[in-house]
C-alpha cells in the first residue's frame, strides 16, 4: 500500500468573517467560540479560524485583519489577540496567528 493511501488529510474548516449567520455553519464549538469572541472585540473585516489539531481543539490557526491594528506593531497585535483569548489559550497546546490591518 502506498504511503499516500495510508495518510488521511486533516479536515479543515474555516470561519470567514461575515455578518451572515451562515458564516458559522459547520464549525466546531471551539472555532465558533473563538470566532465570536474576536468578532465582538476587534470588529475585523477579515477573520479565519481553523482548528488545526485534527478536531480536538488543542491548536488553532487564526488569520485576522482589523483597522484596530493600524499603526500597531505585529508583536502588539499578537498580544491584543492573546489578551482577548487568554482563558482559551490556557487549554491549548499552540496558536498560529496572522494579523494585519489591511
Amino acid at each position: 500500500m502506498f504511503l499516500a493511501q495510508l495518510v488521511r488529510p486533516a479536515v479543515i474548516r474555516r470561519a470567514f468573517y461575515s455578518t451572515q449567520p451562515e458564516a458559522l455553519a459547520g464549525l466546531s464549538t471551539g472555532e465558533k467560540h473563538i470566532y465570536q469572541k474576536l468578532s465582538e472585540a476587534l470588529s475585523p473585516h477579515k477573520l479565519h479560524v481553523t482548528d488545526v489539531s485534527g478536531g480536538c481543539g488543542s491548536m488553532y490557526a487564526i488569520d485576522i485583519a482589523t483597522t484596530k491594528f493600524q499603526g500597531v506593531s505585529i508583536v502588539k497585535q499578537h498580544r491584543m489577540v492573546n489578551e482577548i483569548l487568554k482563558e482559551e489559550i490556557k487549554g491549548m497546546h499552540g496558536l498560529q496567528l496572522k494579523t494585519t490591518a489591511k
Side-chain angles (χ1 to χ4, degrees):
M1 193 174 269
F2 293 102
L3 181 60
Q5 292 172 323
L6 297 174
V7 178
R8 293 183 184 171
V11 175
I12 297 177
R13 296 176 301 243
R14 294 185 179 186
F16 296 96
Y17 185 77
S18 171
T19 56
Q20 303 299 320
E22 309 83 61
L24 300 178
L27 298 180
S28 71
T29 303
E31 289 167 330
K32 287 179 188 177
H33 176 76
I34 290 170
Y35 177 90
Q36 291 170 330
K37 199 160 185 183
L38 291 173
S39 293
E40 291 171 10
L42 297 173
S43 303
H45 52 271
K46 179 178 85 172
L47 177 56
H48 303 241
V49 178
T50 308
D51 181 344
V52 293
S53 65
C56 72
S58 63
M59 187 165 181
Y60 291 90
I62 299 170
D63 183 355
I64 184 169
T66 178
T67 56
K68 293 187 180 186
F69 292 155
Q70 192 70 40
V72 178
S73 72
I74 297 271
V75 171
K76 288 183 181 178
Q77 292 173 17
H78 287 210
R79 285 182 183 158
M80 288 170 69
V81 172
N82 288 341
E83 181 62 27
I84 293 163
L85 299 176
K86 65 183 173 187
E87 290 302 314
E88 291 77 8
I89 289 172
K90 289 178 183 178
M92 292 182 195
H93 292 290
L95 180 63
Q96 300 171 355
L97 289 177
K98 180 179 177 187
T99 59
T100 185
K102 297 180 183 179

